[in-house]
């Protein structure tokens, strides 16, 4: 696993060890498209899921509220993945 160091005064990201490991074409393609999405989209989607679940719960639609409330965790995980790809993705090593 590559070690990532962030220099906080300058904001530069240094990746050590990433040169030894190479991602496949599919993973690089996913990272390329994931990095294009703004990170706050996922935060807003998670918040909308919470609001939707609360609304459904207030409307006494318990099953629908439980279903929608389960979307929060995947949206937060996707947001975390998106942030990691932007900070330490394989595009820091590969230029394609």
């Amino acid at each position: 696993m590559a070690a990532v160091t962030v220099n906080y005064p300058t904001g530069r990201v240094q990746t050590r060890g990433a040169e030894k490991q190479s991602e496949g074409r599919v993973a690089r393609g996913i990272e390329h498209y994931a990095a294009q999405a703004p990170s706050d989209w996922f935060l807003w989607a998670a918040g909308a899921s919470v609001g939707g679940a609360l609304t459904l719960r207030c409307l006494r639609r318990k099953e629908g509220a439980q279903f929608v409330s389960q979307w929060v965790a995947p949206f937060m995980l996707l947001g975390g993945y998106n942030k990691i790809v932007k900070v330490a993705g394989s595009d820091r090593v590969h230029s394609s």
Side-chain angles (χ1 to χ4, degrees):
M1 185 169 187
V4 177
T5 305
V6 178
N7 186 344
Y8 288 104
T10 63
R12 286 191 58 203
V13 176
Q14 299 170 344
T15 306
R16 292 175 306 200
E19 297 84 14
K20 296 177 187 174
Q21 300 172 352
S22 179
E23 295 291 341
R25 264 181 24 210
V26 174
R28 274 186 274 154
I30 291 170
E31 287 180 2
H32 173 73
Y33 288 109
Q36 291 178 355
S39 298
D40 60 342
W41 282 1
F42 297 104
L43 183 60
W44 283 107
S49 299
V50 170
L54 286 172
T55 301
L56 288 170
R57 184 69 178 166
C58 290
L59 295 173
R60 300 181 194 274
R61 297 185 60 192
K62 184 178 178 181
E63 292 82 12
Q66 287 178 338
F67 177 68
V68 173
S69 69
Q70 291 179 3
W71 298 352
V72 176
F75 283 134
M76 296 301 286
L77 286 170
L78 287 170
Y81 173 76
N82 188 11
K83 186 60 78 174
I84 290 170
V85 165
K86 288 180 179 181
V87 172
S90 67
D91 58 344
R92 302 285 182 230
V93 177
H94 300 284
S95 61
S96 58

